[in-house]
Amino acid sequence: MSAGPVTVPAIRARKGGTPIVSLTAYDYPTAQAIDDLVDFILVGDSLGMVVHGLPTTQGVTLEMMAMHGKAVMRGAKRALVVVDMPFGSYEESPEAAIRNAMWLMRETGCSAVKLEGGTEMERTIRFMTERGVPVLAHVGLMPQKVAMMGGFRTQGRNTELADKVMRDAEAVSAAGAFATVIEGTVEPLAREITEKIAIPTIGIGASPACDGQILVINDLLGLASDYMPKFVKRYAETSATIREAVSAYGEDVRARRFPGPEHCFGVKKG
């Protein structure tokens, strides 16, 4: 990894090279902890579900994204920071999309935004990138569109759906996105897309052949979730650690072992 800040051109240039490492983050301490370990941090609208307890990402607002984006930017000094554009903030028109994207970038100081959609968003992505707004695209399974997709279903399982995902990936690449997330897509198709399009692919539930990988950090850490998608590898069981610590704290309080003299002010030693 380079010592200097990671840039949009640097991510774009990683096509076919050393895999890109990325994670979500939603707050200052998490961003600070992972900043030098990843290439880019995504302030994902997944925060609606994993932080705020919403049933889907559709209730997330621009103001929520800005609040979390600013917190992450305070902790990230090296990693590229990308902020998700939430549902309803970019679909209306290219003009509305760039207005909201520019507001989000000004409010947070982030380097790029992410939006979901393929062929239907090609004109919008081109409009934004031609005017200096870097866009990370997102194809395959699109959480903001789960109602239309019939739920969180793996994409590309038949020829018709596979052709659509391929067309979407080709469209966002041609439109000027600097990279694209491929989510919840059958492995052979994600591999084929990676080989075919000119921009880096970032897989989540896709293929090891992708140019990089991303996970929701709460899933990676095993934090506050009983459900683990097939594509997640848990590297820690943080919920269990938290419960153990809080249980020990509760026992100490009830037994009056905490606070001790060393935790109090004005107590004479010896």
Side-chain angles (χ1 to χ4, degrees):
M1 288 187 183
S2 64
V6 180
T7 64
V8 166
I11 295 294
R12 187 189 293 116
R14 295 275 288 276
K15 177 69 180 179
T18 303
I20 299 161
V21 178
S22 50
L23 283 171
T24 64
Y26 315 112
D27 55 47
Y28 167 77
T30 304
Q32 190 177 47
I34 69 174
D35 181 46
D36 64 335
L37 303 175
V38 300
D39 298 303
F40 80 82
I41 296 172
L42 173 66
V43 186
D45 63 352
S46 49
L47 63 86
M49 300 173 73
V50 301
V51 177
H52 293 273
L54 298 175
T56 71
T57 63
Q58 291 185 344
V60 176
T61 65
L62 273 170
E63 290 73 20
M64 289 168 68
M65 296 309 306
M67 178 182 70
H68 288 275
K70 285 187 280 190
V72 168
M73 283 297 297
R74 294 184 193 111
K77 306 303 180 187
R78 177 194 168 275
L80 181 81
V81 176
V82 182
V83 178
D84 250 335
M85 296 193 70
F87 179 73
S89 68
Y90 59 91
E91 297 90 340
E92 179 184 346
S93 67
E95 292 78 11
I98 198 168
R99 182 168 58 251
N100 288 329
M102 287 179 169
W103 179 85
L104 200 53
M105 292 180 73
R106 282 195 303 268
E107 283 289 304
T108 64
C110 70
S111 296
V113 296
K114 182 173 80 65
L115 55 80
E116 296 181 5
T119 55
E120 75 280 11
M121 297 308 301
E122 182 175 5
R123 177 169 166 259
T124 293
I125 294 172
R126 180 172 287 109
F127 186 87
M128 293 170 70
T129 57
E130 287 178 348
R131 288 158 179 79
V133 175
V135 174
L136 174 64
H138 186 140
V139 301
L141 174 63
M142 292 176 269
Q144 293 179 7
K145 299 175 177 62
V146 289
M148 292 187 64
M149 289 182 151
F152 291 91
R153 296 183 177 180
T154 305
Q155 300 299 297
R157 288 194 180 276
N158 61 50
T159 302
E160 181 182 357
L161 290 176
D163 288 346
K164 182 186 184 309
V165 179
M166 176 62 79
R167 289 194 305 273
D168 284 346
E170 291 174 329
V172 299
S173 179
F178 69 89
T180 185
V181 171
I182 304 177
E183 180 171 356
T185 299
V186 294
E187 196 280 334
L189 176 58
R191 182 179 293 268
E192 183 182 358
I193 290 170
T194 300
E195 293 171 352
K196 192 167 185 179
I197 67 173
I199 60 175
T201 58
I202 311 297
I204 177 167
S207 171
C210 288
D211 297 296
Q213 302 294 330
I214 189 166
L215 283 176
V216 171
I217 195 163
N218 294 53
D219 291 340
L220 178 150
L221 294 176
L223 181 61
S225 176
D226 294 328
Y227 171 69
M228 184 172 73
K230 176 183 175 65
F231 56 79
V232 171
K233 180 178 179 180
R234 280 192 175 167
Y235 289 81
E237 292 295 341
T238 306
S239 285
T241 301
I242 291 172
R243 289 185 58 81
E244 289 172 9
V246 174
S247 177
Y249 164 70
E251 290 175 6
D252 279 357
V253 169
R254 285 186 285 270
R256 297 192 183 278
R257 291 190 295 265
F258 178 84
E262 69 273 24
H263 305 115
C264 299
F265 299 101
V267 177
K268 294 182 179 179
K269 295 181 180 180

